[in-house]
Amino acid sequence: MKKIHYYRRFRLCFIEAAFITLAVCVFLLPSIQTFRRTGDNYFVVSINGTQVGRLGSAQKLDSMLAAARKQVVANVQENEDLVFMDLDIETAADERIFGCVDDDGTVIENMMAVMETAIRSTLHRSYTVKINETSVNLGSYDEVHELLEQALAQYDMDNEYQVELEIDGEREINVLEAVVTSKEESAQELEQGTAASAGIEAELEKMFAEVEPAVEKDFEDYELGLVDIDYADKIEVVEAYLPEDRLATVEEAVNLVTKEQETQVVYKVVAGDTLSQICLANNIPMDELIAINDALEDENTVIRVDQELVITVPEPELSIIWKEEQVYTESYEAEVQYVANDEWYTTQSVTLQEPSAGRRKVAAIVEYQNGNETGREILKEEIYAEAVPKIVERGTKIPPTYIKPVSGGTLSSGFGARSAPTSGASTNHKGVDWAVPIGTSVVASNAGTVSFAGWASGYGYAVYINHADGRQTRYGHLSKVLVKAGQTVAQGERIALSGNTGRSTGPHLHFEIRINGTAVNPLQYLN
């Protein structure tokens, strides 16, 4: 009987232990779930070969991946940056009756750990500022604003103006453009907007403002100083997503857009200009000026009024234009008065009256670009002493053109200083030489009257022609003369044959142009 009793007690203890174990599993191991046979109901998820969790439902996977990715991005990004990851997601599905699954928080944490190691690159939300052909990338809107403000600051000393970025309505994509506004005017517009007159009162104010007569200002009434400022170049700002190494600091951006660079501009020659004066006024070396202008052979090249020359000037990438109101006293010159003479060529002029400076007090708006004056509008002036104008009589007839007197040929000797080619020859060549075969036709460079035709010592056989504009052309070392003194010839008419007479080292034509008896470089006058 004792044996049976112990056996029953042992069986009862076993049942109690099993019940307690089952209870522990139910309360302490909630991840163990029972499943019904409905197909795949157990999913093991791996990312990039690393197991991150076991799920009992595939529908939860997408939302958990999204939650993990959102948290990872939030941990590494700033200002809505774009984060790129290389993710290879695998799901192993199975059908089970019992299975151990992970809670959502654990799976998301495991996913985040793998995703953080899989980040390939981060593109920061940034702004590209485009000025002409130059672009610079900045990391925030505030940095763009600071760049534009600093570009103005060196000219807006009293901080009277502000920069606003507005959407360019003419563009199909969202492009911001920089607009400079007066802080005082903006404040006044805001004040007027909040306390604007209404109805008939507003109409009466408008009517009285329109009929009120303008009162001339005294010099004391002008508000001196900065009255307007703006960017001379169009500025475009667009949003972009860029890697960090493509972003510049504000200091780097300011240096890029405000540092001076050599820019080529056209300079128009005015009366009294010389090449040395142009170089000095524009701070450009003479050799550089000659190098960038094909029309200039050397520093002795003759230049003409209204001739256009290319010069280089230092300018920043972002130019600033501004206007200042000024009151000052100055000496001034009256405008030159011209008297037309239809019998003279435009190359002829004579001064009829010498000028004398006057004295005046002036109120004016002066316009500048990058520190250089570009315009001046006089608002009011008070004359203390009237200026006497310069009066010049000048011709209106277009001067005749000159053509090359031979066809073809090689330029064998230029104008000016040279080594004497033969005994007795001049070291200061008064013309130019073209090497041509003996007997080549020589034509009149311009219409005129033959003043000399015959033997002329060192010239050999030569022809001199006087022209209507007061100039003279000479043709030397001829083999045969075909015209006579006093004969009128047309431009391009054959006057001689080239040769090798006089002081000559070989067959060629010597050609001169003289103005008032002085030889000039013919190449500067040939059309």
Side-chain angles (χ1 to χ4, degrees):
M1 294 299 293
K2 279 186 179 181
K3 290 181 179 181
I4 294 174
H5 175 70
Y6 288 133
Y7 174 74
R8 288 177 176 173
R9 288 184 62 189
F10 176 75
R11 185 177 179 185
L12 180 60
C13 289
F14 177 79
I15 293 173
E16 291 177 350
F19 179 79
I20 293 172
T21 301
L22 181 60
V24 170
C25 289
V26 170
F27 290 102
L28 299 182
L29 298 175
S31 62
I32 299 178
Q33 298 184 10
T34 60
F35 302 96
R36 290 183 294 178
R37 292 187 178 277
T38 57
D40 294 339
N41 55 14
Y42 187 75
F43 305 90
V44 178
V45 181
S46 299
I47 301 178
N48 295 347
T50 300
Q51 182 176 314
V52 295
R54 296 161 295 183
L55 305 177
S57 170
Q59 284 77 15
K60 303 174 63 176
L61 178 59
D62 289 341
S63 61
M64 297 174 76
L65 283 169
R69 194 181 193 292
K70 182 177 180 181
Q71 187 59 47
V72 170
V73 169
N75 292 341
V76 300
Q77 78 170 173
E78 296 179 0
N79 300 324
E80 302 178 8
D81 297 339
L82 296 180
V83 180
F84 294 87
M85 306 175 186
D86 290 324
L87 301 180
D88 182 15
I89 302 171
E90 295 181 354
T91 304
D94 193 7
E95 183 181 23
R96 296 190 180 186
I97 298 177
F98 291 97
C100 185
V101 297
D102 299 308
D103 66 87
D104 294 356
T106 300
V107 176
I108 292 175
E109 288 180 2
N110 293 340
M111 288 179 173
M112 289 173 56
V114 176
M115 287 179 179
E116 288 172 353
T117 63
I119 295 176
R120 174 163 51 92
S121 63
T122 300
L123 296 184
H124 301 272
R125 185 185 183 188
S126 57
Y127 294 84
T128 298
V129 182
K130 187 175 184 297
I131 305 166
N132 299 322
E133 301 302 318
T134 299
S135 297
V136 62
N137 304 312
L138 294 169
S140 69
Y141 181 94
D142 291 339
E143 290 182 351
V144 173
H145 199 267
E146 185 176 351
L147 164 64
L148 300 178
E149 289 279 7
Q150 285 197 34
L152 289 182
Q154 57 182 319
Y155 305 112
D156 181 15
M157 302 297 186
D158 297 327
N159 195 25
E160 298 174 346
Y161 290 81
Q162 60 189 8
V163 182
E164 297 177 356
L165 294 176
E166 300 178 354
I167 293 179
D168 186 349
E170 298 180 357
R171 305 291 294 272
E172 294 182 0
I173 58 176
N174 285 337
V175 177
L176 301 175
E177 61 177 350
V179 178
V180 181
T181 59
S182 166
K183 293 182 178 179
E184 181 180 357
E185 290 179 1
S186 298
Q188 289 177 353
E189 290 177 1
L190 181 61
E191 182 179 350
Q192 291 173 359
T194 56
S197 301
I200 190 172
E201 183 180 351
E203 292 299 323
L204 288 173
E205 288 180 358
K206 181 179 178 181
M207 182 180 67
F208 286 126
E210 291 175 349
V211 300
E212 185 176 353
V215 179
E216 184 178 356
K217 289 184 177 181
D218 291 329
F219 287 107
E220 294 76 16
D221 297 330
Y222 288 95
E223 297 179 6
L224 307 184
L226 189 66
V227 295
D228 190 26
I229 190 169
D230 202 354
Y231 303 107
D233 306 284
K234 186 171 183 180
I235 302 172
E236 297 180 330
V237 181
V238 295
E239 290 189 15
Y241 287 89
L242 299 169
E244 189 169 359
D245 59 3
R246 294 272 305 277
L247 302 181
T249 64
V250 175
E251 182 179 358
E252 291 171 340
V254 170
N255 289 336
L256 177 64
V257 303
T258 60
K259 70 178 181 181
E260 292 187 338
Q261 306 174 41
E262 293 296 330
T263 304
Q264 290 190 349
V265 298
V266 174
Y267 175 83
K268 184 172 286 189
V269 178
V270 298
D273 269 347
T274 65
L275 290 180
S276 58
Q277 288 173 336
I278 293 173
C279 291
L280 185 63
N282 295 279
N283 194 27
I284 177 174
M286 179 68 75
D287 56 350
E288 182 178 336
L289 179 65
I290 296 171
I292 61 179
N293 287 276
D294 294 336
L296 303 180
E297 288 189 352
D298 52 41
E299 63 274 13
N300 297 318
T301 302
V302 178
I303 55 176
R304 306 180 304 276
V305 174
D306 291 335
Q307 181 178 352
E308 292 185 344
L309 298 176
V310 177
I311 62 173
T312 56
V313 295
E315 287 188 352
E317 191 63 45
L318 178 57
S319 295
I320 307 297
I321 53 177
W322 75 95
K323 296 179 180 178
E324 289 184 2
E325 201 168 72
Q326 301 177 3
V327 173
Y328 52 90
T329 301
E330 65 170 1
S331 298
Y332 76 101
E333 302 285 345
E335 290 189 8
V336 179
Q337 297 179 8
Y338 293 99
V339 178
N341 188 325
D342 296 337
E343 300 298 322
W344 292 359
Y345 290 104
T346 55
T347 55
Q348 297 173 278
S349 65
V350 62
T351 300
L352 303 178
Q353 177 177 283
E354 293 294 341
S356 176
R359 193 73 178 167
R360 66 182 178 183
K361 186 175 184 180
V362 176
I365 291 181
V366 185
E367 183 173 332
Y368 298 90
Q369 180 166 332
N370 302 326
N372 300 314
E373 182 178 333
T374 58
R376 184 177 292 260
E377 178 188 358
I378 295 179
L379 306 176
K380 179 182 177 65
E381 67 176 352
E382 183 177 317
I383 305 296
Y384 297 151
E386 195 79 33
V388 176
K390 181 178 182 179
I391 301 177
V392 177
E393 184 177 7
R394 63 182 181 181
T396 60
K397 292 170 60 176
I398 303 299
T401 58
Y402 290 79
I403 63 173
K404 185 180 175 183
V406 290
S407 177
T410 301
L411 185 67
S412 56
S413 181
F415 176 83
R418 66 173 182 177
S419 299
T422 185
S423 178
S426 173
T427 56
N428 182 23
H429 198 211
K430 292 181 172 58
V432 294
D433 295 341
W434 285 285
V436 292
I438 293 175
T440 300
S441 292
V442 178
V443 301
S445 180
N446 185 21
T449 302
V450 178
S451 62
F452 175 84
W455 185 263
S457 186
Y459 284 97
Y461 286 109
V463 173
Y464 302 169
I465 301 176
N466 292 335
H467 305 283
D469 60 356
R471 297 171 184 173
Q472 184 186 76
T473 53
R474 294 186 177 187
Y475 312 79
H477 308 303
L478 306 172
S479 63
K480 187 175 182 179
V481 175
L482 303 178
V483 292
K484 297 179 180 180
Q487 181 178 339
T488 300
V489 294
Q491 185 180 57
E493 182 178 339
R494 192 166 70 153
I495 59 172
L497 301 178
S498 67
N500 189 28
T501 59
R503 293 193 187 96
S504 174
T505 58
H508 72 282
L509 171 69
H510 173 84
F511 176 65
E512 292 182 17
I513 294 181
R514 294 191 173 218
I515 301 177
N516 298 324
T518 302
V520 295
N521 186 350
L523 299 181
Q524 297 297 319
Y525 297 87
L526 294 182
N527 182 18

